[in-house]
Amino acid sequence: MSGWCSEFSRTNIIKNGFLDMKNEIKYVGVVQVTNWSNMFPEKCLQELNDGSVLEFLIQQLKKADFLDEIIIATTQEHFDDSIAKLAKSRGINFYRGDKRDIISRIYHAVEAYSPSGVVHVLGNSPLIDIEKMRELVEVHRKAKYDFCYNEHAKGIIYGMGCSVFSFDVLRRLYENQDLTLLQRETGSFYIRQNPEKFRIYSQKSRFNRPQYRVCVDEPRDIELIKSIIRAVPDINNESVGRFLDENLLLTEYQHQIRLSEAGVEKIFLFPEKIKTYQLSDFDVTYPLVLELSFTNRCNFSCVWCSDRDLRAKLGGELSVDAYERLLDDVSKGGTKSIVVEGGGEPTLHPYFNDMVRMTVKKGLDIGLITNGSTLIDPEIVNLFKWIRISLDAATAEQHAKFKKVKMFEKIMQNIHSIGEHKKETVLGIGYVVTKHNVDNLEDLILRLKMYNVDYIQFRPVIDHPDLSSGIDLSYLSKYAMPNFRVDIYAMSANVKIGNDHRKCKAHSLSTVVTADGGVYLCGRLNIYDWCKPIGNINQDSFHDMWLGEERKRQNEEVLDPEFCFKNCPTCRMTKYNILLDQMEHIKTKTFI
């Protein structure tokens, strides 16, 4: 049963084992905490130098003389019995509520007090900065903001901050029947991702260290926290930051490069393909992957879309019969996989599910790039090796303004559904970085981590230099975990134009099939009107096109470094071409 105590109404509070009523409470501190975690269960009860993570946090909060009460808000689930037991034994107020509905849990924890404001902290953040909290509360008190927070890229170190809710706005959120359970589960992220609806204050810090993380998210964090407690007697943002500046090895594990699914290393998984490049300038083996459009219809109108003009020029929708013939051909020829992507939004194809099943039945792996607007059947989800949602917005306002549709929360619900039902499928989020969508990235990442997402991949906007941001996203690497990657590799990997003045051999790693059936040697040169397909699957077999005269002619073109230098825009194949060129020019090939 949720609540303070099953024998009493929730307008009464358990304090030191006795009923207590409190009037005219100004500010209440609420510690949101649970033992449940995919990666590090019971992290709040892990031992530090003296007592647990949660106990150390409570001792820090007791220094906050501006807090009239401190309450632990945990869940009613059995795995959190130990938290309630600890709270009772230490004489700490506590409330047990819904596991998922964070807004409801926090509201019920404080409703008996009807405070002016609620100071919200997380139970895995023992190194809270009390003085910065005091400043935040003072701003909230004087200016009467709906919501104030200080833990962000321009604020204080992640793991040392807090947020302050107005009790009135907390009550409005609790009573808002339009909020879905998914939105209630996000707690303060709903406010942060809808800044147009609330009066928000984001506290900045002159001592700014966005690259550090000092909360307990994974087992290795415990030793980091212990080291800080031993060495820093006065816990605050600046003292902890300066200690970490002088001891960079302590946080090195948080910034280790995690394997990128788009890294150049993948080519070494296909030694037979590398061998063909060494033997001949005309690779007759089939592409490893087909990048394929089911349809040129799209329900979005993204400002930075690089396919809009191509969709308008080509039109069309791939027929099931033509697709089946293509699969029969390439599966026998050695192609490994199909990536279903733009032109348009692939899930809008009337036979989308049938074509996915057909691909798997033919023995090919399949991946999907989608805008996330369609709720994918759980059975279909698990047929994909990977799914990447092109989100490209951190707030509902950004999404509506730059994608021209109001579907942000629906897409977040669909992401949650995929994460909930997937088994082996890798779920990723694609994010095209522009000068218009670089705010609120941290809030987005923290929310996505709740949805069983495997990675978020940032890449620069292409073909629209006026929208380029030039921002350094390296600080986001601190949010990476063993089960969640923050991939900023593409921000610097695919930025060279002209194919780095080299010939393009790597074009045969993949090829593009458009929704009208056209097969293109290159998926980047087809932005030009003069770039023609090497054939069309509605009339020709893939085998004949791949070994045909038009492909031979275009192959000769892209093997000319001057042609590439003149015509090639930024391209992900450039990194492979650089590697192949370097391998070709090594003279001591029998030595390592």
Side-chain angles (χ1 to χ4, degrees):
M1 176 178 290
S2 66
W4 296 99
C5 184
S6 58
E7 302 120 76
F8 302 102
S9 72
R10 68 177 150 238
T11 56
N12 296 310
I13 343 176
I14 296 177
K15 184 176 182 181
N16 298 327
F18 299 97
L19 290 177
D20 185 34
M21 294 297 292
K22 192 92 171 180
N23 296 316
E24 298 185 7
I25 297 295
K26 300 269 178 74
Y27 284 89
V28 172
V30 175
V31 180
Q32 177 190 323
V33 63
T34 178
N35 279 327
W36 182 87
S37 172
N38 274 331
M39 189 173 61
F40 194 14
E42 299 188 339
K43 57 189 174 184
C44 69
L45 298 182
Q46 299 299 308
E47 287 297 313
L48 294 177
N49 297 353
D50 185 17
S52 66
V53 170
L54 182 57
E55 289 171 292
F56 190 91
L57 170 60
I58 296 297
Q59 290 305 311
Q60 288 292 99
L61 290 174
K62 286 181 177 178
K63 300 174 184 176
D65 53 11
F66 50 90
L67 295 180
D68 295 280
E69 292 290 348
I70 299 170
I71 305 165
I72 289 175
T74 190
T75 81
Q76 57 190 307
E77 305 296 331
H78 67 88
F79 47 70
D80 284 333
D81 290 347
S82 56
I83 293 177
K85 183 178 179 180
L86 183 148
K88 268 190 174 182
S89 68
R90 301 295 188 270
I92 305 166
N93 301 343
F94 67 95
Y95 172 81
R96 303 188 72 174
D98 191 281
K99 174 188 172 185
R100 288 189 59 186
D101 191 341
I102 303 299
I103 289 175
S104 170
R105 198 194 317 166
I106 296 173
Y107 174 75
H108 285 316
V110 302
E111 66 172 324
Y113 298 109
S114 295
S116 299
V118 178
V119 179
H120 175 248
V121 298
L122 296 176
N124 65 329
S125 300
L127 304 183
I128 203 81
D129 187 323
I130 299 301
E131 287 309 308
K132 290 297 182 184
M133 179 188 290
R134 185 191 302 275
E135 293 174 14
L136 201 63
V137 167
E138 189 63 16
V139 170
H140 182 269
R141 184 185 67 80
K142 288 181 177 179
K144 301 187 184 305
Y145 284 100
D146 292 328
F147 180 78
C148 302
Y149 70 114
N150 58 12
E151 200 172 66
H152 49 83
K154 296 180 181 178
I156 68 175
I157 294 172
Y158 179 53
M160 301 193 72
C162 67
S163 55
V164 184
F165 292 86
S166 159
F167 181 65
D168 287 339
V169 80
L170 185 60
R171 179 167 51 214
R172 291 204 309 271
L173 290 173
Y174 169 70
E175 294 174 350
N176 187 344
Q177 298 300 309
D178 292 330
L179 292 186
T180 65
L181 178 57
L182 197 65
Q183 290 169 320
R184 292 176 177 276
E185 184 180 25
T186 65
S188 66
F189 294 139
Y190 176 77
I191 296 177
R192 298 188 208 185
Q193 291 187 308
N194 292 274
E196 74 282 0
K197 297 180 181 179
F198 303 95
R199 291 188 67 242
I200 298 175
Y201 173 72
S202 173
Q203 183 188 45
K204 308 297 190 296
S205 172
R206 282 181 292 181
F207 185 85
N208 187 246
R209 296 294 187 275
Q211 70 272 31
Y212 295 141
R213 172 173 60 84
V214 295
C215 55
V216 180
D217 282 330
E218 57 176 310
R220 289 180 292 184
D221 294 331
I222 291 294
E223 288 306 314
L224 171 64
I225 303 297
K226 285 181 178 180
S227 297
I228 293 171
I229 292 172
R230 285 193 296 263
V232 184
D234 182 17
I235 300 294
N236 61 67
N237 182 60
E238 186 167 347
S239 63
V240 171
R242 293 202 184 283
F243 170 73
L244 295 177
D245 287 346
E246 297 167 1
N247 297 272
L248 293 176
L249 289 178
L250 288 175
T251 59
E252 186 179 33
Y253 71 95
Q254 295 178 359
H255 304 283
Q256 291 173 349
I257 297 175
R258 316 268 179 177
L259 180 65
S260 170
E261 291 294 328
V264 70
E265 301 85 0
K266 291 182 78 172
I267 196 172
F268 293 112
L269 298 174
F270 306 100
E272 71 285 356
K273 196 72 171 176
I274 296 175
K275 193 67 175 177
T276 64
Y277 293 138
Q278 294 171 332
L279 295 175
S280 172
D281 278 342
F282 184 61
D283 176 20
V284 298
T285 63
Y286 273 27
L288 297 172
V289 58
L290 295 188
E291 300 174 29
L292 187 140
S293 300
F294 278 176
T295 179
N296 276 312
R297 288 190 294 139
C298 190
N299 51 349
F300 286 6
S301 184
C302 304
V303 171
W304 51 79
C305 181
S306 58
D307 287 332
R308 184 188 294 111
D309 293 341
L310 189 63
R311 287 201 309 271
K313 180 175 69 174
L314 296 178
E317 198 159 73
L318 200 63
S319 74
V320 176
D321 289 343
Y323 184 56
E324 184 170 21
R325 290 195 302 271
L326 175 67
L327 293 179
D328 285 335
D329 191 335
V330 298
S331 62
K332 294 173 184 175
T335 294
K336 308 294 183 183
S337 58
I338 304 289
V339 177
V340 182
E341 55 178 14
E345 168 50 38
T347 60
L348 297 181
H349 195 289
Y351 297 102
F352 173 77
N353 287 355
D354 294 333
M355 294 166 82
V356 172
R357 291 190 185 98
M358 181 189 298
T359 307
V360 176
K361 189 175 181 180
K362 299 289 185 182
L364 291 160
D365 290 340
I366 185 168
L368 173 67
I369 301 175
T370 169
N371 63 27
S373 60
T374 301
L375 180 61
I376 302 175
D377 186 286
E379 177 202 343
I380 298 298
V381 164
N382 286 294
L383 294 180
F384 289 101
K385 290 294 183 179
W386 57 269
I387 297 173
R388 190 170 79 221
I389 311 292
S390 298
L391 187 58
D392 310 323
T395 70
E397 186 179 27
Q398 288 175 7
H399 197 271
K401 187 174 181 179
F402 299 110
K403 295 215 161 193
K404 308 302 182 184
V405 290
K406 295 183 178 180
M407 296 185 71
F408 182 78
E409 286 299 333
K410 180 182 179 182
I411 292 168
M412 295 301 285
Q413 289 178 19
N414 291 344
I415 292 171
H416 177 271
S417 175
I418 295 172
E420 188 175 38
H421 292 105
K422 76 183 184 75
K423 295 174 183 175
E424 300 299 324
T425 304
V426 175
L427 173 59
I429 304 299
Y431 201 101
V432 172
V433 179
T434 76
K435 62 184 180 182
H436 299 301
N437 64 359
V438 293
D439 296 326
N440 301 92
L441 291 178
E442 293 169 294
D443 300 329
L444 175 66
I445 287 173
L446 290 169
R447 187 174 176 186
L448 290 171
K449 289 174 71 173
M450 300 167 62
Y451 298 163
N452 200 22
V453 170
D454 294 289
Y455 70 90
I456 181 168
Q457 181 194 68
F458 295 99
R459 61 189 189 278
V461 63
I462 60 172
D463 302 335
H464 293 276
D466 55 310
L467 294 177
S468 179
S469 70
I471 190 172
D472 179 7
L473 297 181
S474 59
Y475 75 96
L476 295 175
S477 64
K478 68 176 181 283
Y479 294 106
M481 296 288 143
N483 63 347
F484 179 83
R485 287 182 290 106
V486 177
D487 189 347
I488 58 175
Y489 171 81
M491 292 298 293
S492 58
N494 302 325
V495 295
K496 293 185 177 181
I497 62 172
N499 196 37
D500 198 41
H501 216 144
R502 301 169 194 257
K503 58 186 177 182
C504 181
K505 281 194 168 186
H507 69 268
S508 67
L509 289 172
S510 71
T511 199
V512 171
V513 182
T514 53
D516 66 342
V519 178
Y520 288 82
L521 188 82
C522 173
R524 294 291 285 130
L525 291 177
N526 65 1
I527 62 174
Y528 302 119
D529 289 336
W530 52 258
C531 181
K532 304 300 181 184
I534 62 173
N536 191 295
I537 62 172
N538 290 307
Q539 292 90 39
D540 312 304
S541 74
F542 186 84
H543 177 271
D544 290 345
M545 285 181 278
W546 196 246
L547 299 181
E549 292 304 314
E550 181 59 26
R551 184 185 165 232
K552 288 179 181 177
R553 185 189 70 79
Q554 293 189 23
N555 180 76
E556 288 298 320
E557 284 184 333
V558 298
L559 288 179
D560 178 3
E562 292 302 321
F563 174 89
C564 294
F565 182 68
K566 178 182 176 182
N567 297 295
C568 290
T570 57
C571 177
R572 67 189 182 91
M573 290 300 165
T574 299
K575 60 180 178 287
Y576 297 112
N577 284 314
I578 293 173
L579 178 63
L580 291 170
D581 186 58
Q582 290 172 339
M583 292 172 64
E584 184 178 323
H585 287 90
I586 291 174
K587 295 181 179 179
T588 54
K589 290 183 170 60
T590 58
F591 295 87
I592 292 293

